[in-house]
Amino acid sequence: MVNRPIVTGLSPKEGPPGTRVTIRGEFLGSKATDLVGLIICGCDCLLSAEWKSDKKIIARTGAAKGKGDIIVTTRNGGTGTSTVQFRAYYETIGPMKESAVWIEESPMQSLAWGRRSLAPTGYIQEDPLGLSIEGNDKKFPEDLRDIFPDGSGDLSQENFLPGWFLLENHHATSFEDLKAGLSYLRRRVESQKEGQLSFLKSNAGSVMDQLDTLMALRDRVTQDTKLYGKDQVKDLEVAIQKSIDASHELFKDVLSRKEKADATRAALSALSRHKFLFCLPNSVEKSAARNEFDIVVNDYARVKNLFGKTEVPIFKKVLEEVDLKILGIRQQLHGKIKEMPQGVEQQKKLVKALISLEAQQAGTSVASRLKIEDPAWDAIEARAKYLEDTFLKSYDQYTGKEGTPESKSRNDPNATPVRVQFCEEMTEIAASQFPDLWRLGQAYFTGELRGAGQPKPGNFKRIILTVIEQFCSYLKAALLPAGNQRTLLVSTMKGLPTWPASNLSLNYLITWLPHCLRYVRVSYATLIRLDLPGEALDIVLKFIDELRLYCLSTILKKANEKVKKLHEKETWEFPVADFAGATGLPSKLEEILTEAIDDAQVICLTPEIRETSLLEPQSDGQREMSKRIQELLGTFCGVIETLALQRSDEDPQQAPMLSQLIGFPAALLQQQISGGTDKSWGSSITWEQRMLCCLSNCIYCNKVFFPKLAGLFTKHNYPVPSIAIENSRSTVNTLFSSLLDMYVEHKSDPLVGTIEPSMYIGRFQWDQVGPSDKLSPYAHECCDNLVSVYSEIFSISPVLLRPVLEPIVQTVAEELARLMTCVQKFNVNGALQAKVDINVIRDAVRVYSNDTAKSFFVEALEAIPQVAESEDRIQETVRQIKNNMRLQLMCLQVVDP
């Protein structure tokens, strides 16, 4: 905190104009140039002030009158206060008394120049009342000048007041003595009137002698007039003039040399007395060369106060030369104001000096030669242009590096890319130079730097907005892809070159975009501390939101790339305890999503000062999040599809013919025996098993995992992307239907294709069947094949039993109905056997028969001729066969979970 100057002591405390006083106090400045003002009793005494220390100043008082404060003003402390006062008064000044100021003479003083002035200076006028002054030695306690401001106690003055005289000389005299003094004064006046007549009576002889002498003198003049004429002194005058001319001729050279010497001495004396004025042109030039413009301002102000109204020709000539020098210095200052770079304080100092010189030089003959309307505004425009040029220079420098060998290492994580270097430099420029521009503008509008011109708030606002918009636009060109850049708000950026195109990897973006975002946020915090208007801050905030949104998009794209590679990490293990058949693939997706959301929260989703949430309802951030999440989940569905459709060379393109009668593949039998209940196959898993796992993952994602993702967003207090999740569920449902049809077709076609060959193997004919209480081989084989499919599904995911077996059973029923309809002739045993076969198969798959399958079984039975009194026999045979096949039928009777 800067302390204000305070005056606590003064010596002497009263005196006439020109009194040399010593001022003591505190905080009177740390050096001589700190003293910028000194007022004593209302008069400016700065020119006579001599700074000694921070506690002492010596000065001479001005032409003041009465009591007043001593006010000291310093450069840093401002205007101070005073605890003491100085009393200024005028004293009577005679012709032989020195005075520091000019005192107007009164008429009486002018008349005093006569024989009375020859009286000795030591004369003391006697008291006109004839009274003794004993007892009146003590001074009257009050200042008589305050009581009689326009009077005087001096008998010789025109404004003599008896009251003043009595209080000054007889304030202790009694009233009776004053009455006696009045009587004495009256007697003296009367005696002076009578004294003139008595003087003539007592000196009558001398008066007569004087009259006689005058008569004789008149007679002699009359005689001389008759003898010499009226012009009696002509010859004497001529003689005297000749002697004067002779004397002049004798002393001409001496007098001439004396006059020259006197003139030289007068000139030297004038030079010595006014050395400051005559040396000023050279001194201001030297001070300007040393950039000490405050000294120039002070010296010019001093000389204008001392000699501004002079009529002396030599002084006026010197002043004109000084004015010309100041005019050149003003031009120099105006140029220096626009020179960049320089500190804002130095620029303000130059502006103040220029405004002061311009104000002091106003009205002079050379003032019209240079007219600077508003130097402070010129300084603001120069600083703004320098800032814009710095932006452009940095932009050109770094765009020139793009594509060079220096930038080839942009994918190297240890090397800082050119774009990031550009971002760092731009934010550093904005954080260091923009506050100077803003502070300079504030000083201009608060009046600190304002000259005679009116301020331009609208233009300054345009400058601020232009600079900030250019700053954001350059960074947009470097950091955001062309498709992500919003429309610029300023027309001054027309023709801005775009950043050279280059393919930026996601690793580069993930590594360096958060770094750039931090730098931009630091610059934004600097602008906030400047208390900028909201319109300017909103421009940077909008760019930060765009950069945050791009960071979010990049993070989710990177997560999407990781999801695309999940098929390489599938181990075909079943870590989900409460959902059989689901592999660890969804959990790996959850890990990727969790990592991405955590990274996004740290980098861009957590708002900082004055920032808003990026995921507000109906915002670009929420739409981008929903879009990227939907893409990511869609990619995951694609991974499931890739795993389901991926086949190796060993995988059969079609299921083997599962016919025990035609031939059962030994490899498949060995696989079913060895891998029926294994929970992890690794590389030995078959395509059918992979397909079942993928179908299980589809059901798990649709029913459990995708809805569960909402909790991942809720945990971070982010809005749930419900539309993306629902669309992804629809996508995974479509995928499930597609894969299910593929698997059912793969399983049902070979299975159904074996029924007819197995039925008619060995030239079997339905009209040549003998009596039998057993199931036909084709029906037995059909049941075994269905049990085989059931076991394959149940070993992986029981939840798939009904979705898979229902269409297969429907296809089997349709095939049996077709075959029974195509039989041309049944004998009685053939009809009985066919009914037994159809009933056993129908009862075996009853749990997985839909309405369509049931109708096909009814159609098959209706195609078989009826046999009289055969129903009980058929039922008994069916019961015996089902008892013998209870193990197979028990598998098919288990209800799916």
Side-chain angles (χ1 to χ4, degrees), residues 622-653:
Q622 187 181 28
R623 286 190 287 270
E624 182 70 17
M625 172 72 84
S626 181
K627 175 183 175 183
R628 296 304 173 188
I629 292 295
Q630 185 170 340
E631 287 180 0
L632 190 144
L633 297 180
T635 302
F636 181 70
C637 294
V639 170
I640 295 177
E641 184 177 9
T642 301
L643 290 171
L645 301 178
Q646 187 177 11
R647 295 190 182 188
S648 62
D649 295 337
E650 292 82 10
D651 292 331
Q653 299 303 313

PDB file of all heavy atoms in Angstrom, residues 622-653:
ATOM      1  N   GLN A 622     -24.763 -34.334 -26.058  1.00  0.00           N
ATOM      2  CA  GLN A 622     -25.604 -35.514 -25.838  1.00  0.00           C
ATOM      3  C   GLN A 622     -25.843 -36.249 -27.157  1.00  0.00           C
ATOM      4  O   GLN A 622     -25.808 -37.480 -27.206  1.00  0.00           O
ATOM      5  CB  GLN A 622     -26.937 -35.110 -25.212  1.00  0.00           C
ATOM      6  CG  GLN A 622     -27.802 -36.303 -24.797  1.00  0.00           C
ATOM      7  CD  GLN A 622     -29.119 -35.856 -24.207  1.00  0.00           C
ATOM      8  OE1 GLN A 622     -29.611 -34.800 -24.533  1.00  0.00           O
ATOM      9  NE2 GLN A 622     -29.684 -36.663 -23.335  1.00  0.00           N
ATOM     10  N   ARG A 623     -26.082 -35.490 -28.231  1.00  0.00           N
ATOM     11  CA  ARG A 623     -26.287 -36.143 -29.527  1.00  0.00           C
ATOM     12  C   ARG A 623     -25.027 -36.875 -29.981  1.00  0.00           C
ATOM     13  O   ARG A 623     -25.102 -37.986 -30.528  1.00  0.00           O
ATOM     14  CB  ARG A 623     -26.714 -35.102 -30.565  1.00  0.00           C
ATOM     15  CG  ARG A 623     -28.159 -34.632 -30.399  1.00  0.00           C
ATOM     16  CD  ARG A 623     -28.595 -33.786 -31.593  1.00  0.00           C
ATOM     17  NE  ARG A 623     -27.978 -32.466 -31.573  1.00  0.00           N
ATOM     18  CZ  ARG A 623     -28.502 -31.410 -30.979  1.00  0.00           C
ATOM     19  NH1 ARG A 623     -29.647 -31.516 -30.331  1.00  0.00           N
ATOM     20  NH2 ARG A 623     -27.896 -30.238 -31.021  1.00  0.00           N
ATOM     21  N   GLU A 624     -23.859 -36.244 -29.747  1.00  0.00           N
ATOM     22  CA  GLU A 624     -22.607 -36.898 -30.127  1.00  0.00           C
ATOM     23  C   GLU A 624     -22.370 -38.152 -29.296  1.00  0.00           C
ATOM     24  O   GLU A 624     -21.964 -39.199 -29.834  1.00  0.00           O
ATOM     25  CB  GLU A 624     -21.437 -35.920 -29.950  1.00  0.00           C
ATOM     26  CG  GLU A 624     -20.084 -36.462 -30.360  1.00  0.00           C
ATOM     27  CD  GLU A 624     -19.962 -36.629 -31.871  1.00  0.00           C
ATOM     28  OE1 GLU A 624     -20.785 -36.045 -32.603  1.00  0.00           O
ATOM     29  OE2 GLU A 624     -19.041 -37.336 -32.298  1.00  0.00           O
ATOM     30  N   MET A 625     -22.644 -38.063 -28.011  1.00  0.00           N
ATOM     31  CA  MET A 625     -22.488 -39.230 -27.134  1.00  0.00           C
ATOM     32  C   MET A 625     -23.416 -40.359 -27.591  1.00  0.00           C
ATOM     33  O   MET A 625     -22.996 -41.525 -27.703  1.00  0.00           O
ATOM     34  CB  MET A 625     -22.794 -38.834 -25.690  1.00  0.00           C
ATOM     35  CG  MET A 625     -22.860 -40.003 -24.711  1.00  0.00           C
ATOM     36  SD  MET A 625     -21.257 -40.736 -24.344  1.00  0.00           S
ATOM     37  CE  MET A 625     -20.689 -39.630 -23.050  1.00  0.00           C
ATOM     38  N   SER A 626     -24.677 -40.042 -27.854  1.00  0.00           N
ATOM     39  CA  SER A 626     -25.626 -41.055 -28.286  1.00  0.00           C
ATOM     40  C   SER A 626     -25.197 -41.679 -29.612  1.00  0.00           C
ATOM     41  O   SER A 626     -25.257 -42.902 -29.796  1.00  0.00           O
ATOM     42  CB  SER A 626     -27.020 -40.434 -28.412  1.00  0.00           C
ATOM     43  OG  SER A 626     -27.968 -41.395 -28.818  1.00  0.00           O
ATOM     44  N   LYS A 627     -24.718 -40.841 -30.525  1.00  0.00           N
ATOM     45  CA  LYS A 627     -24.289 -41.338 -31.834  1.00  0.00           C
ATOM     46  C   LYS A 627     -23.103 -42.284 -31.695  1.00  0.00           C
ATOM     47  O   LYS A 627     -23.093 -43.378 -32.292  1.00  0.00           O
ATOM     48  CB  LYS A 627     -23.934 -40.149 -32.720  1.00  0.00           C
ATOM     49  CG  LYS A 627     -23.362 -40.529 -34.073  1.00  0.00           C
ATOM     50  CD  LYS A 627     -22.967 -39.273 -34.850  1.00  0.00           C
ATOM     51  CE  LYS A 627     -22.275 -39.651 -36.164  1.00  0.00           C
ATOM     52  NZ  LYS A 627     -21.833 -38.443 -36.901  1.00  0.00           N
ATOM     53  N   ARG A 628     -22.106 -41.870 -30.901  1.00  0.00           N
ATOM     54  CA  ARG A 628     -20.898 -42.692 -30.760  1.00  0.00           C
ATOM     55  C   ARG A 628     -21.176 -43.975 -29.985  1.00  0.00           C
ATOM     56  O   ARG A 628     -20.615 -45.027 -30.297  1.00  0.00           O
ATOM     57  CB  ARG A 628     -19.790 -41.881 -30.078  1.00  0.00           C
ATOM     58  CG  ARG A 628     -19.315 -40.685 -30.872  1.00  0.00           C
ATOM     59  CD  ARG A 628     -18.844 -41.062 -32.234  1.00  0.00           C
ATOM     60  NE  ARG A 628     -18.547 -39.886 -33.055  1.00  0.00           N
ATOM     61  CZ  ARG A 628     -18.264 -39.950 -34.344  1.00  0.00           C
ATOM     62  NH1 ARG A 628     -18.257 -41.117 -34.964  1.00  0.00           N
ATOM     63  NH2 ARG A 628     -18.022 -38.847 -35.023  1.00  0.00           N
ATOM     64  N   ILE A 629     -22.040 -43.906 -28.993  1.00  0.00           N
ATOM     65  CA  ILE A 629     -22.388 -45.117 -28.244  1.00  0.00           C
ATOM     66  C   ILE A 629     -23.126 -46.098 -29.146  1.00  0.00           C
ATOM     67  O   ILE A 629     -22.885 -47.315 -29.112  1.00  0.00           O
ATOM     68  CB  ILE A 629     -23.234 -44.760 -27.006  1.00  0.00           C
ATOM     69  CG1 ILE A 629     -22.375 -43.986 -25.980  1.00  0.00           C
ATOM     70  CG2 ILE A 629     -23.809 -46.010 -26.358  1.00  0.00           C
ATOM     71  CD1 ILE A 629     -21.243 -44.789 -25.399  1.00  0.00           C
ATOM     72  N   GLN A 630     -24.017 -45.560 -29.982  1.00  0.00           N
ATOM     73  CA  GLN A 630     -24.742 -46.431 -30.903  1.00  0.00           C
ATOM     74  C   GLN A 630     -23.771 -47.064 -31.907  1.00  0.00           C
ATOM     75  O   GLN A 630     -23.884 -48.243 -32.226  1.00  0.00           O
ATOM     76  CB  GLN A 630     -25.826 -45.642 -31.634  1.00  0.00           C
ATOM     77  CG  GLN A 630     -26.715 -46.499 -32.524  1.00  0.00           C
ATOM     78  CD  GLN A 630     -27.921 -45.733 -33.028  1.00  0.00           C
ATOM     79  OE1 GLN A 630     -28.296 -44.723 -32.448  1.00  0.00           O
ATOM     80  NE2 GLN A 630     -28.520 -46.216 -34.101  1.00  0.00           N
ATOM     81  N   GLU A 631     -22.811 -46.255 -32.400  1.00  0.00           N
ATOM     82  CA  GLU A 631     -21.809 -46.816 -33.300  1.00  0.00           C
ATOM     83  C   GLU A 631     -20.994 -47.901 -32.601  1.00  0.00           C
ATOM     84  O   GLU A 631     -20.703 -48.953 -33.186  1.00  0.00           O
ATOM     85  CB  GLU A 631     -20.872 -45.711 -33.797  1.00  0.00           C
ATOM     86  CG  GLU A 631     -21.499 -44.774 -34.800  1.00  0.00           C
ATOM     87  CD  GLU A 631     -20.517 -43.709 -35.253  1.00  0.00           C
ATOM     88  OE1 GLU A 631     -19.357 -43.732 -34.764  1.00  0.00           O
ATOM     89  OE2 GLU A 631     -20.883 -42.865 -36.089  1.00  0.00           O
ATOM     90  N   LEU A 632     -20.626 -47.653 -31.350  1.00  0.00           N
ATOM     91  CA  LEU A 632     -19.808 -48.605 -30.610  1.00  0.00           C
ATOM     92  C   LEU A 632     -20.565 -49.909 -30.385  1.00  0.00           C
ATOM     93  O   LEU A 632     -20.021 -51.012 -30.596  1.00  0.00           O
ATOM     94  CB  LEU A 632     -19.383 -47.967 -29.287  1.00  0.00           C
ATOM     95  CG  LEU A 632     -18.331 -48.697 -28.452  1.00  0.00           C
ATOM     96  CD1 LEU A 632     -17.429 -47.674 -27.776  1.00  0.00           C
ATOM     97  CD2 LEU A 632     -18.968 -49.557 -27.387  1.00  0.00           C
ATOM     98  N   LEU A 633     -21.830 -49.812 -29.976  1.00  0.00           N
ATOM     99  CA  LEU A 633     -22.624 -51.019 -29.764  1.00  0.00           C
ATOM    100  C   LEU A 633     -22.907 -51.720 -31.088  1.00  0.00           C
ATOM    101  O   LEU A 633     -22.963 -52.953 -31.154  1.00  0.00           O
ATOM    102  CB  LEU A 633     -23.930 -50.663 -29.052  1.00  0.00           C
ATOM    103  CG  LEU A 633     -23.776 -50.074 -27.642  1.00  0.00           C
ATOM    104  CD1 LEU A 633     -25.142 -49.771 -27.035  1.00  0.00           C
ATOM    105  CD2 LEU A 633     -23.010 -51.017 -26.736  1.00  0.00           C
ATOM    106  N   GLY A 634     -23.087 -50.934 -32.156  1.00  0.00           N
ATOM    107  CA  GLY A 634     -23.249 -51.537 -33.467  1.00  0.00           C
ATOM    108  C   GLY A 634     -22.000 -52.286 -33.892  1.00  0.00           C
ATOM    109  O   GLY A 634     -22.080 -53.374 -34.496  1.00  0.00           O
ATOM    110  N   THR A 635     -20.832 -51.693 -33.598  1.00  0.00           N
ATOM    111  CA  THR A 635     -19.575 -52.387 -33.890  1.00  0.00           C
ATOM    112  C   THR A 635     -19.478 -53.689 -33.102  1.00  0.00           C
ATOM    113  O   THR A 635     -18.991 -54.713 -33.614  1.00  0.00           O
ATOM    114  CB  THR A 635     -18.394 -51.473 -33.551  1.00  0.00           C
ATOM    115  OG1 THR A 635     -18.493 -50.272 -34.305  1.00  0.00           O
ATOM    116  CG2 THR A 635     -17.073 -52.148 -33.861  1.00  0.00           C
ATOM    117  N   PHE A 636     -19.926 -53.645 -31.856  1.00  0.00           N
ATOM    118  CA  PHE A 636     -19.905 -54.860 -31.042  1.00  0.00           C
ATOM    119  C   PHE A 636     -20.808 -55.937 -31.657  1.00  0.00           C
ATOM    120  O   PHE A 636     -20.441 -57.124 -31.694  1.00  0.00           O
ATOM    121  CB  PHE A 636     -20.361 -54.538 -29.618  1.00  0.00           C
ATOM    122  CG  PHE A 636     -20.347 -55.711 -28.687  1.00  0.00           C
ATOM    123  CD1 PHE A 636     -19.162 -56.268 -28.262  1.00  0.00           C
ATOM    124  CD2 PHE A 636     -21.538 -56.286 -28.253  1.00  0.00           C
ATOM    125  CE1 PHE A 636     -19.146 -57.359 -27.407  1.00  0.00           C
ATOM    126  CE2 PHE A 636     -21.536 -57.365 -27.404  1.00  0.00           C
ATOM    127  CZ  PHE A 636     -20.328 -57.902 -26.977  1.00  0.00           C
ATOM    128  N   CYS A 637     -21.977 -55.522 -32.149  1.00  0.00           N
ATOM    129  CA  CYS A 637     -22.840 -56.490 -32.826  1.00  0.00           C
ATOM    130  C   CYS A 637     -22.138 -57.049 -34.059  1.00  0.00           C
ATOM    131  O   CYS A 637     -22.256 -58.246 -34.381  1.00  0.00           O
ATOM    132  CB  CYS A 637     -24.153 -55.831 -33.219  1.00  0.00           C
ATOM    133  SG  CYS A 637     -25.185 -55.328 -31.815  1.00  0.00           S
ATOM    134  N   GLY A 638     -21.381 -56.188 -34.758  1.00  0.00           N
ATOM    135  CA  GLY A 638     -20.617 -56.660 -35.902  1.00  0.00           C
ATOM    136  C   GLY A 638     -19.549 -57.664 -35.504  1.00  0.00           C
ATOM    137  O   GLY A 638     -19.257 -58.606 -36.246  1.00  0.00           O
ATOM    138  N   VAL A 639     -18.933 -57.448 -34.326  1.00  0.00           N
ATOM    139  CA  VAL A 639     -17.932 -58.401 -33.837  1.00  0.00           C
ATOM    140  C   VAL A 639     -18.589 -59.758 -33.577  1.00  0.00           C
ATOM    141  O   VAL A 639     -18.035 -60.825 -33.917  1.00  0.00           O
ATOM    142  CB  VAL A 639     -17.256 -57.853 -32.562  1.00  0.00           C
ATOM    143  CG1 VAL A 639     -16.397 -58.922 -31.902  1.00  0.00           C
ATOM    144  CG2 VAL A 639     -16.416 -56.641 -32.910  1.00  0.00           C
ATOM    145  N   ILE A 640     -19.767 -59.728 -32.948  1.00  0.00           N
ATOM    146  CA  ILE A 640     -20.490 -60.995 -32.710  1.00  0.00           C
ATOM    147  C   ILE A 640     -20.790 -61.680 -34.035  1.00  0.00           C
ATOM    148  O   ILE A 640     -20.603 -62.905 -34.184  1.00  0.00           O
ATOM    149  CB  ILE A 640     -21.788 -60.721 -31.927  1.00  0.00           C
ATOM    150  CG1 ILE A 640     -21.459 -60.186 -30.517  1.00  0.00           C
ATOM    151  CG2 ILE A 640     -22.624 -61.981 -31.820  1.00  0.00           C
ATOM    152  CD1 ILE A 640     -22.675 -59.818 -29.711  1.00  0.00           C
ATOM    153  N   GLU A 641     -21.221 -60.885 -35.027  1.00  0.00           N
ATOM    154  CA  GLU A 641     -21.527 -61.477 -36.326  1.00  0.00           C
ATOM    155  C   GLU A 641     -20.277 -62.040 -36.976  1.00  0.00           C
ATOM    156  O   GLU A 641     -20.307 -63.131 -37.575  1.00  0.00           O
ATOM    157  CB  GLU A 641     -22.163 -60.414 -37.220  1.00  0.00           C
ATOM    158  CG  GLU A 641     -22.605 -60.948 -38.572  1.00  0.00           C
ATOM    159  CD  GLU A 641     -23.291 -59.889 -39.413  1.00  0.00           C
ATOM    160  OE1 GLU A 641     -23.258 -58.709 -39.004  1.00  0.00           O
ATOM    161  OE2 GLU A 641     -23.856 -60.221 -40.465  1.00  0.00           O
ATOM    162  N   THR A 642     -19.160 -61.319 -36.856  1.00  0.00           N
ATOM    163  CA  THR A 642     -17.900 -61.813 -37.425  1.00  0.00           C
ATOM    164  C   THR A 642     -17.492 -63.138 -36.799  1.00  0.00           C
ATOM    165  O   THR A 642     -17.062 -64.083 -37.496  1.00  0.00           O
ATOM    166  CB  THR A 642     -16.792 -60.771 -37.222  1.00  0.00           C
ATOM    167  OG1 THR A 642     -17.174 -59.550 -37.857  1.00  0.00           O
ATOM    168  CG2 THR A 642     -15.471 -61.241 -37.805  1.00  0.00           C
ATOM    169  N   LEU A 643     -17.597 -63.224 -35.467  1.00  0.00           N
ATOM    170  CA  LEU A 643     -17.250 -64.466 -34.785  1.00  0.00           C
ATOM    171  C   LEU A 643     -18.189 -65.596 -35.197  1.00  0.00           C
ATOM    172  O   LEU A 643     -17.773 -66.760 -35.309  1.00  0.00           O
ATOM    173  CB  LEU A 643     -17.307 -64.249 -33.269  1.00  0.00           C
ATOM    174  CG  LEU A 643     -16.216 -63.358 -32.676  1.00  0.00           C
ATOM    175  CD1 LEU A 643     -16.515 -63.061 -31.212  1.00  0.00           C
ATOM    176  CD2 LEU A 643     -14.851 -64.030 -32.800  1.00  0.00           C
ATOM    177  N   ALA A 644     -19.466 -65.271 -35.421  1.00  0.00           N
ATOM    178  CA  ALA A 644     -20.426 -66.315 -35.788  1.00  0.00           C
ATOM    179  C   ALA A 644     -20.190 -66.824 -37.196  1.00  0.00           C
ATOM    180  O   ALA A 644     -20.351 -68.027 -37.473  1.00  0.00           O
ATOM    181  CB  ALA A 644     -21.844 -65.785 -35.642  1.00  0.00           C
ATOM    182  N   LEU A 645     -19.805 -65.964 -38.102  1.00  0.00           N
ATOM    183  CA  LEU A 645     -19.650 -66.351 -39.501  1.00  0.00           C
ATOM    184  C   LEU A 645     -18.240 -66.798 -39.846  1.00  0.00           C
ATOM    185  O   LEU A 645     -17.995 -67.263 -40.961  1.00  0.00           O
ATOM    186  CB  LEU A 645     -20.041 -65.188 -40.415  1.00  0.00           C
ATOM    187  CG  LEU A 645     -21.475 -64.666 -40.257  1.00  0.00           C
ATOM    188  CD1 LEU A 645     -21.716 -63.500 -41.188  1.00  0.00           C
ATOM    189  CD2 LEU A 645     -22.480 -65.777 -40.512  1.00  0.00           C
ATOM    190  N   GLN A 646     -17.331 -66.600 -38.895  1.00  0.00           N
ATOM    191  CA  GLN A 646     -15.929 -66.949 -39.163  1.00  0.00           C
ATOM    192  C   GLN A 646     -15.766 -68.472 -39.156  1.00  0.00           C
ATOM    193  O   GLN A 646     -16.083 -69.142 -38.185  1.00  0.00           O
ATOM    194  CB  GLN A 646     -15.033 -66.292 -38.108  1.00  0.00           C
ATOM    195  CG  GLN A 646     -13.557 -66.445 -38.372  1.00  0.00           C
ATOM    196  CD  GLN A 646     -12.738 -65.712 -37.324  1.00  0.00           C
ATOM    197  OE1 GLN A 646     -13.286 -65.274 -36.318  1.00  0.00           O
ATOM    198  NE2 GLN A 646     -11.463 -65.585 -37.550  1.00  0.00           N
ATOM    199  N   ARG A 647     -15.266 -69.015 -40.247  1.00  0.00           N
ATOM    200  CA  ARG A 647     -15.057 -70.458 -40.357  1.00  0.00           C
ATOM    201  C   ARG A 647     -13.625 -70.723 -40.786  1.00  0.00           C
ATOM    202  O   ARG A 647     -13.058 -69.985 -41.587  1.00  0.00           O
ATOM    203  CB  ARG A 647     -16.007 -71.082 -41.381  1.00  0.00           C
ATOM    204  CG  ARG A 647     -17.484 -71.020 -41.016  1.00  0.00           C
ATOM    205  CD  ARG A 647     -18.295 -71.868 -41.948  1.00  0.00           C
ATOM    206  NE  ARG A 647     -19.710 -71.794 -41.652  1.00  0.00           N
ATOM    207  CZ  ARG A 647     -20.645 -72.560 -42.216  1.00  0.00           C
ATOM    208  NH1 ARG A 647     -20.281 -73.477 -43.107  1.00  0.00           N
ATOM    209  NH2 ARG A 647     -21.907 -72.435 -41.920  1.00  0.00           N
ATOM    210  N   SER A 648     -13.111 -71.806 -40.240  1.00  0.00           N
ATOM    211  CA  SER A 648     -11.775 -72.246 -40.655  1.00  0.00           C
ATOM    212  C   SER A 648     -11.908 -73.293 -41.746  1.00  0.00           C
ATOM    213  O   SER A 648     -12.999 -73.740 -42.078  1.00  0.00           O
ATOM    214  CB  SER A 648     -11.012 -72.802 -39.450  1.00  0.00           C
ATOM    215  OG  SER A 648     -11.684 -73.932 -38.922  1.00  0.00           O
ATOM    216  N   ASP A 649     -10.801 -73.692 -42.278  1.00  0.00           N
ATOM    217  CA  ASP A 649     -10.832 -74.691 -43.340  1.00  0.00           C
ATOM    218  C   ASP A 649     -11.323 -76.047 -42.840  1.00  0.00           C
ATOM    219  O   ASP A 649     -11.876 -76.852 -43.605  1.00  0.00           O
ATOM    220  CB  ASP A 649      -9.430 -74.848 -43.942  1.00  0.00           C
ATOM    221  CG  ASP A 649      -8.984 -73.570 -44.627  1.00  0.00           C
ATOM    222  OD1 ASP A 649      -9.879 -72.768 -45.012  1.00  0.00           O
ATOM    223  OD2 ASP A 649      -7.764 -73.351 -44.756  1.00  0.00           O
ATOM    224  N   GLU A 650     -11.129 -76.335 -41.541  1.00  0.00           N
ATOM    225  CA  GLU A 650     -11.561 -77.615 -40.996  1.00  0.00           C
ATOM    226  C   GLU A 650     -13.066 -77.652 -40.759  1.00  0.00           C
ATOM    227  O   GLU A 650     -13.659 -78.732 -40.651  1.00  0.00           O
ATOM    228  CB  GLU A 650     -10.846 -77.906 -39.671  1.00  0.00           C
ATOM    229  CG  GLU A 650      -9.345 -78.156 -39.816  1.00  0.00           C
ATOM    230  CD  GLU A 650      -8.558 -76.868 -39.888  1.00  0.00           C
ATOM    231  OE1 GLU A 650      -9.165 -75.804 -39.633  1.00  0.00           O
ATOM    232  OE2 GLU A 650      -7.351 -76.910 -40.207  1.00  0.00           O
ATOM    233  N   ASP A 651     -13.706 -76.461 -40.634  1.00  0.00           N
ATOM    234  CA  ASP A 651     -15.141 -76.444 -40.369  1.00  0.00           C
ATOM    235  C   ASP A 651     -15.903 -76.862 -41.611  1.00  0.00           C
ATOM    236  O   ASP A 651     -15.670 -76.338 -42.711  1.00  0.00           O
ATOM    237  CB  ASP A 651     -15.598 -75.041 -39.954  1.00  0.00           C
ATOM    238  CG  ASP A 651     -15.053 -74.662 -38.606  1.00  0.00           C
ATOM    239  OD1 ASP A 651     -14.820 -75.553 -37.786  1.00  0.00           O
ATOM    240  OD2 ASP A 651     -14.852 -73.444 -38.373  1.00  0.00           O
ATOM    241  N   PRO A 652     -16.853 -77.806 -41.472  1.00  0.00           N
ATOM    242  CA  PRO A 652     -17.655 -78.208 -42.631  1.00  0.00           C
ATOM    243  C   PRO A 652     -18.607 -77.097 -43.020  1.00  0.00           C
ATOM    244  O   PRO A 652     -19.114 -76.363 -42.180  1.00  0.00           O
ATOM    245  CB  PRO A 652     -18.405 -79.445 -42.132  1.00  0.00           C
ATOM    246  CG  PRO A 652     -18.500 -79.257 -40.661  1.00  0.00           C
ATOM    247  CD  PRO A 652     -17.243 -78.557 -40.265  1.00  0.00           C
ATOM    248  N   GLN A 653     -18.788 -76.907 -44.320  1.00  0.00           N
ATOM    249  CA  GLN A 653     -19.691 -75.887 -44.817  1.00  0.00           C
ATOM    250  C   GLN A 653     -21.151 -76.282 -44.633  1.00  0.00           C
ATOM    251  O   GLN A 653     -22.031 -75.446 -44.710  1.00  0.00           O
ATOM    252  CB  GLN A 653     -19.429 -75.619 -46.300  1.00  0.00           C
ATOM    253  CG  GLN A 653     -18.030 -75.111 -46.577  1.00  0.00           C
ATOM    254  CD  GLN A 653     -17.703 -73.852 -45.812  1.00  0.00           C
ATOM    255  OE1 GLN A 653     -18.512 -72.930 -45.809  1.00  0.00           O
ATOM    256  NE2 GLN A 653     -16.548 -73.812 -45.160  1.00  0.00           N
TER     257      GLN A 653
END
